[in-house]
Amino acid sequence: METAQMKVAINGVESIIGYVFDDRFLLWEALQAAGSPVVHAGGRNFRNGNKRLAVLGDTVLQLVLVEQWYAGEQARVAFDESRQRVGSNDNLTIIGNQTGLNAFVNRAGGMTVISPTTMATTVEVVLGAVYLDGSLQAVTPVMQTLDLV
C-alpha cells in the first residue's frame, strides 16, 4: 500500500520525467538512497537501497547512447566523448538538481544534503526503473526530457 510520502514522491518524479509507471513500487525502490530506512516495497527487498538499480541504469544510459551513435556516421571517439560527458557524475548531478529530482530522494537517517554521487546515482536508477517497467524504447523519451540526449 502506498503511503502519502510515497505518493508525493512518485507523482513528483513521474511529472519530472514524463513517464507514468505501471509498477509504482519500482520507482519507490529507485528513490531509496543507500542507507534509507525503506528496505522493501511491492514484494521486493532492497537492503542496499538503490545500488542494484544504479548498475542497471548506468548500463541502460550507455546503451541508449551507443544505439544513437551506431545509427549515425560519427567516429568511435564521438561515442566515447558523449558517454563521458553525458554519463559523468557531474552532469548527472546537475540534471538531478536542475530538474528537481533531488527533492524526492529518500535519504539515510540524519542525512540533510544529497551528495553529488547520490544525486548522480538517482538519475541512473530512475533510468533503470523506467527500463524495467517499460522497455528500452521507454527510456529514450525520458532521457530526452532530462536533456541527456
Side-chain angles (χ1 to χ4, degrees):
M1 185 163 97
E2 291 185 13
T3 65
Q5 176 192 14
M6 187 176 165
K7 284 181 185 178
V8 167
I10 290 170
N11 292 340
V13 172
E14 288 178 337
S15 176
I16 290 168
I17 67 173
Y19 178 83
V20 176
F21 279 79
D22 289 324
D23 182 355
R24 292 169 59 87
F25 290 110
L26 189 58
L27 180 55
W28 183 238
E29 176 184 348
L31 297 175
Q32 305 311 310
S36 163
V38 178
V39 294
H40 56 83
R44 282 189 299 278
N45 292 315
F46 39 91
R47 299 198 187 284
N48 292 319
N50 57 20
K51 288 183 177 186
R52 293 176 64 84
L53 269 176
V55 173
L56 178 62
D58 179 62
T59 303
V60 168
L61 171 78
Q62 291 187 49
L63 183 56
V64 169
L65 294 175
V66 79
E67 277 191 338
Q68 290 187 347
W69 166 80
Y70 182 78
E73 298 289 327
Q74 296 178 317
R76 164 72 190 260
V77 70
F79 165 68
D80 291 335
E81 290 170 355
S82 172
R83 179 178 48 141
Q84 290 171 6
R85 184 184 72 257
V86 173
S88 72
N89 279 354
D90 288 342
N91 185 56
L92 296 175
T93 298
I94 290 167
I95 296 290
N97 288 327
Q98 285 180 345
T99 60
L101 286 174
N102 56 328
F104 301 107
V105 178
N106 199 10
R107 308 167 201 61
M111 190 168 132
T112 57
V113 176
I114 298 171
S115 73
T117 301
T118 299
M119 190 68 260
T121 298
T122 299
V123 174
E124 291 173 340
V125 299
V126 167
L127 296 177
V130 169
Y131 169 76
L132 289 176
D133 188 69
S135 66
L136 190 59
Q137 288 71 34
V139 175
T140 301
V142 170
M143 287 179 63
Q144 290 169 337
T145 298
L146 296 175
D147 288 327
L148 292 168
V149 291

